[in-house]
Amino acid sequence: MKNKKIYLLLLIILIIIIPIICFINIKSFKVQNFKEYIEIPYNTNYKENSGNVCFGNRFKCSSVKVSSTGTIDTKKIGEYTLTYTYTYKKKSLTKKQTIKVIDNLAPTITVEDIDLVGCPNKTNLTIPVKAYDEYDGDLTDKVTQTIENNQIIFAVKDTSGNEATLIKDLTYLDNESPSITLNGNRTMYVPLNGNYTELGAKATDNCDEDIKITTTGEVNTKLPGEYKITYQATDSSNNTASVVRKIYVYAKNSYNTPSGKSIYLTFDDGPGPYTGKLLDILKKYEVPATFFVTNQALTKGYDNMILRAYNEGHTIGLHTNTHNYSIYQNADTYFADLYAIQDKVKRITGYTSTIIRFPGGSSNTISENYDGGNKIMSELALAVEAKGFRYFDWNVSSGDAGGTTNTAQVVKNITSSLGNGSTYVVLQHDIKGFSVNAVEEVIVYGLSKGYTFRALTMDSPTVHHRINN
Ligand code: ZN
């Protein structure tokens, strides 16, 4: 009986305790913190994440070897698989991990930082907007814009469906004036009793398509004068613009019927590359002028212009042979230079010129640098007259030897100096193209205002500066 109980007890121990002991002692891979699915934004580093894995039982768990296969391109969105193999002695376990590289960044929309102003009569407007997505790149083409009341809404989506919107305030306003373009020249020259044809003008506007132009002013081609036609354009928001065209109605140069107001155009320092063009203009208007010529290096090759000017009735005056101010050392050096240019002119034209202009004018003080304090200009002013020359300065400066470097300013400098006086001697330089380009307008201005253009002669009124040295 007692033995039976012992057997029974042993049996119970075998049936219950041993399996428990065995169960407790089962060795296997223990996996913790392993993620089968991971999402990461593109362009971020992915560190392999194999979890915590060991092999053993609850009392003792040994570390295992891990190896992995598979690659991830974090620059490219998509799903990637990594396979981890854990080994312990000859046992192994394989687990797969899915990594999804995603784009979760919305694009950015940028609008130039300007006030968004739309035309009052338009609902659509072009705005310089840009869109950029870190993953897709430039998305400017995909931007939509919606105008609601006084706001404009820009929207764009990237290929991953991330959306961006930008709202800007919008103003309907037009404060930009139309712009007017004249057909034909802004300054026109019409001979007396000739035809003036109104060529009109065109106007464009930022908001309006049809802009009407009103024209005011008249041209009387039967009366010499300076006329103005004003073209005015107004847009639907009442912004106006106007442009003026100047028309000179000019009489022929009344050389034989003196008006009492004379202009003597004089050109120093040439001849040069623009002298031919100048002679063409003078010929067109039958205007005689005076050329104070030189023999400095830049005149080389233009001797024929001296002959042409002489043959076409212009006065050939003497300026200087060298145009080097060292000629002012003394009277001898001055006259040596003067006779050299006189000889040259005579050689070319057969004419002995005695009409002169001092380099720098009679009022120059640059001669002080050379004359050793001997007041050379005071001496020369008397000496040249004693030798039968006449010298001429000027009372109208074109400014072309100084700060003036454009044609319009040369015209302005000259025409604004003309008044009701009887003698205007204008200084220009025919070696300056921009100055030569001003001559035509100066001539028609003068003719339209009743001046007579003349060339200097030995009998012309004297224009002398105050002598300063
Ligand atoms: Zn000069």
Side-chain angles (χ1 to χ4, degrees):
M1 204 52 204
K2 200 178 174 182
N3 276 348
K4 256 189 180 177
K5 277 186 181 170
I6 289 166
Y7 287 132
L8 199 63
L9 192 66
L10 281 170
L11 199 66
I12 288 167
I13 290 168
L14 276 171
I15 291 169
I16 298 170
I17 307 296
I18 291 175
I20 287 171
I21 291 167
C22 288
F23 178 76
I24 287 167
N25 203 31
I26 284 172
K27 290 184 176 174
S28 64
F29 288 97
K30 311 282 176 197
V31 181
Q32 278 185 313
N33 298 329
F34 181 83
K35 288 177 186 156
E36 285 180 350
Y37 180 82
I38 294 171
E39 265 187 12
I40 58 163
Y42 73 94
N43 253 351
T44 49
N45 280 331
Y46 175 69
K47 277 194 183 147
E48 283 191 2
N49 186 345
S50 55
N52 299 324
V53 180
C54 60
F55 187 86
N57 58 30
R58 65 164 60 190
F59 302 113
K60 183 169 184 274
C61 199
S62 309
S63 61
V64 299
K65 274 190 195 160
V66 191
S67 65
S68 66
T69 57
T71 53
I72 300 169
D73 182 357
T74 59
K75 291 195 176 355
K76 213 169 161 190
I77 59 176
E79 281 193 357
Y80 300 87
T81 304
L82 285 185
T83 306
Y84 292 100
T85 306
Y86 307 91
T87 51
Y88 181 78
K89 292 183 178 167
K90 288 193 172 167
K91 296 180 173 55
S92 70
L93 171 71
T94 299
K95 288 192 82 62
K96 285 189 186 301
Q97 186 175 62
T98 301
I99 296 103
K100 191 173 184 186
V101 176
I102 58 160
D103 171 20
N104 58 0
L105 279 178
T108 50
I109 299 177
T110 49
V111 173
E112 264 181 44
D113 193 18
I114 49 170
D115 289 338
L116 299 182
V117 178
C119 288
N121 52 354
K122 283 187 186 170
T123 51
N124 209 354
L125 70 165
T126 315
I127 289 164
V129 62
K130 282 185 186 153
Y132 183 78
D133 184 67
E134 288 293 333
Y135 188 74
D136 295 316
D138 187 21
L139 291 179
T140 302
D141 289 353
K142 306 258 188 305
V143 179
T144 59
Q145 67 184 59
T146 322
I147 294 176
E148 278 175 18
N149 300 321
N150 288 327
Q151 289 191 317
I152 184 160
I153 301 147
F154 302 96
V156 72
K157 261 187 197 174
D158 69 12
T159 50
S160 298
N162 301 301
E163 189 170 8
T165 55
L166 180 70
I167 298 174
K168 287 271 186 182
D169 289 334
L170 186 61
T171 312
Y172 289 103
L173 179 72
D174 175 17
N175 51 14
E176 205 173 298
S177 294
S179 81
I180 300 173
T181 312
L182 294 183
N183 300 325
N185 292 335
R186 204 171 173 128
T187 306
M188 291 176 88
Y189 316 136
V190 182
L192 186 64
N193 296 319
N195 286 322
Y196 171 68
T197 310
E198 179 52 63
L199 295 174
K202 284 191 277 281
T204 54
D205 187 64
N206 61 323
C207 286
D208 298 299
E209 289 193 356
D210 275 324
I211 299 285
K212 284 213 174 69
I213 296 177
T214 54
T215 305
T216 50
E218 273 179 16
V219 178
N220 182 356
T221 58
K222 297 197 166 18
L223 186 67
E226 184 185 355
Y227 297 91
K228 283 173 182 167
I229 304 281
T230 303
Y231 304 84
Q232 187 170 321
T234 307
D235 70 12
S236 59
S237 298
N238 266 328
N239 300 301
T240 64
S242 67
V243 171
V244 174
R245 192 198 313 267
K246 229 192 287 183
I247 301 105
Y248 295 108
V249 174
Y250 63 92
K252 265 186 159 266
N253 190 27
S254 50
Y255 190 59
N256 295 313
T257 53
S259 65
K261 302 191 291 182
S262 297
I263 297 173
Y264 297 85
L265 296 178
T266 71
F267 300 92
D268 286 11
D269 291 3
Y274 311 105
T275 309
K277 184 182 179 185
L278 171 58
L279 288 169
D280 292 344
I281 295 166
L282 298 172
K283 191 179 211 172
K284 178 178 171 188
Y285 293 96
E286 297 175 32
V287 163
T290 304
F291 292 85
F292 287 106
V293 299
T294 67
N295 188 36
Q296 54 186 326
L298 55 82
T299 66
K300 204 165 182 233
Y302 297 102
D303 287 357
N304 57 330
M305 287 297 138
I306 294 180
L307 183 60
R308 182 183 158 190
Y310 178 72
N311 287 338
E312 291 180 1
H314 304 289
T315 293
I316 308 300
L318 311 174
H319 192 31
T320 160
N321 195 57
T322 59
H323 215 303
N324 186 329
Y325 289 109
S326 66
I327 61 173
Y328 287 134
Q329 285 170 58
N330 54 54
D332 288 345
T333 53
Y334 174 77
F335 279 105
D337 175 84
L338 181 63
Y339 286 129
I341 188 65
Q342 188 187 47
D343 284 350
K344 177 173 178 173
V345 169
K346 185 166 187 191
R347 225 171 31 245
I348 294 169
T349 64
Y351 157 73
T352 303
S353 177
T354 49
I355 293 176
I356 68 174
R357 173 168 287 154
F358 290 115
S362 67
S363 57
N364 83 78
T365 52
I366 193 164
S367 50
E368 290 173 350
N369 299 340
Y370 302 91
D371 70 355
N374 286 323
K375 306 237 171 265
I376 185 74
M377 295 317 298
S378 303
E379 180 186 346
L380 292 179
L382 297 173
V384 294
E385 304 270 342
K387 287 180 192 286
F389 293 96
R390 287 199 69 201
Y391 74 90
F392 290 87
D393 290 307
W394 58 91
N395 55 10
V396 176
S397 176
S398 65
D400 68 354
T404 299
T405 53
N406 72 78
T407 300
Q409 191 61 43
V410 170
V411 171
K412 202 175 168 197
N413 290 347
I414 297 171
T415 57
S416 66
S417 303
L418 303 172
N420 285 318
S422 59
T423 304
Y424 293 98
V425 179
V426 180
L427 170 65
Q428 284 185 265
H429 295 81
D430 55 324
I431 53 169
K432 308 235 170 157
F434 69 88
S435 192
V436 167
N437 290 340
V439 171
E440 186 165 13
E441 188 169 349
V442 168
I443 289 174
V444 290
Y445 175 89
L447 294 177
S448 74
K449 302 277 180 180
Y451 293 90
T452 300
F453 286 88
R454 299 166 182 275
L456 291 170
T457 68
M458 289 299 278
D459 303 320
S460 297
T462 306
V463 172
H464 280 177
H465 290 168
R466 206 184 86 109
I467 291 173
N468 298 309
N469 177 33

